[in-house]
Amino acid sequence: MQRRPAGAVLVAGAVIFFLAEFIAAAAWTDPPYSYTHHYISNLGVRGPLEALGQFMNSPLAWVMNTGFFLFGIMFFIGVAALNGLRSWRRWAALILGALVALGGVLLAFNPGSGEPPDGAVDYHGLGAFASIVGGNVLVILLGRQHRQIGVTPKAGRAMVVLGVLGLASMVAFLAVASSGANVLVGLVERCAVYPILVGFICAGASIWNRRTCARSSGEDETSRPPMLKTANCS
């Protein structure tokens, strides 16, 4: 039976990101922040400045950068706390989780406009790429291994779909961003990021609910027949 704290940490990491984004966006009122037009990273830029065809001036930039940091660290802790994965799958999950954590740290400590000085390394861009690609691949991996980590088949299938959607949206986002058109670029970016957050909420909530149901049934998991150990509590 999967440990409940692992599920709780995965959900908490996603909720922290959503809350930090909402709070930082709500404080940006002149002009109002747009979820469909502005990049997520703009919320971490104190400004004021203009870059990539957008005006950046986030009054609560520190809130968003704190959210970047905590979401990355908590996702890694949650993945590391999962049991059930074996051999190369566990190592793959840990490496991808570390990639997400590294991305979150780079985003937090390198709030960027997307236009670094000539010759400078765009650590912010690297962090975003690591988090988005690593996170979506991790969601797919865990969704495929739903039985091993104690996630319901329905949640596992949803995670795979979300991860594929996130990777496809990442390609679309790169195309839109490189075109310079700025047409719904914020919306397309969120289609690449949100599947990671929703995917981990699915995993965490499923782990929590199955554990709660098993406890409420009063059964000892170790004494149950093998076929029932992976059955739904419903």
Side-chain angles (χ1 to χ4, degrees):
M1 203 69 177
Q2 190 59 260
R3 295 183 289 260
R4 289 179 73 184
V9 173
L10 292 177
V11 172
V15 171
I16 285 173
F17 186 101
F18 279 129
L19 282 177
E21 182 186 26
F22 175 79
I23 292 171
W28 185 333
T29 58
D30 187 22
Y33 181 84
S34 170
Y35 272 65
T36 59
H37 174 69
H38 290 107
Y39 293 98
I40 298 174
S41 295
N42 291 12
L43 293 171
V45 179
R46 185 64 186 90
L49 60 86
E50 289 189 19
L52 301 176
Q54 295 192 359
F55 177 73
M56 304 180 185
N57 185 24
S58 179
L60 293 181
W62 68 271
V63 172
M64 190 69 249
N65 291 323
T66 301
F68 284 142
F69 179 83
L70 291 178
F71 118 88
I73 297 300
M74 295 193 73
F75 274 179
F76 177 75
I77 293 173
V79 171
L82 292 173
N83 57 26
L85 295 174
R86 296 291 181 266
S87 64
W88 67 268
R89 293 177 181 84
R90 175 159 181 79
W91 283 108
L94 289 174
I95 291 172
L96 290 169
L99 197 61
V100 174
L102 175 62
V105 171
L106 288 175
L107 288 170
F109 288 100
N110 298 276
S113 64
E115 294 182 345
D118 292 339
V121 178
D122 184 8
Y123 289 108
H124 187 87
L126 289 176
F129 186 80
S131 292
I132 295 175
V133 175
N136 280 300
V137 174
L138 180 56
V139 167
I140 294 173
L141 172 64
L142 296 181
R144 299 262 307 175
Q145 299 298 311
H146 65 87
R147 186 184 300 273
Q148 286 72 19
I149 64 172
V151 171
T152 63
K154 183 177 181 180
R157 289 191 295 269
M159 290 169 68
V160 173
V161 172
L162 286 166
V164 172
L165 172 63
L167 291 176
S169 298
M170 176 66 178
V171 176
F173 168 68
L174 292 175
V176 173
S178 62
S179 70
N182 269 339
V183 178
L184 298 179
V185 66
L187 177 62
V188 179
E189 182 186 26
R190 285 172 170 82
C191 287
V193 174
Y194 285 2
I196 303 170
L197 307 175
V198 176
F200 279 113
I201 289 176
C202 286
S206 181
I207 290 170
W208 184 274
N209 289 337
R210 297 188 84 179
R211 182 74 179 186
T212 300
C213 187
R215 287 188 173 185
S216 65
S217 68
E219 296 183 23
D220 181 0
E221 181 67 14
T222 60
S223 65
R224 298 171 69 190
M227 292 181 62
L228 295 180
K229 289 187 178 182
T230 56
N232 267 332
C233 56
S234 58

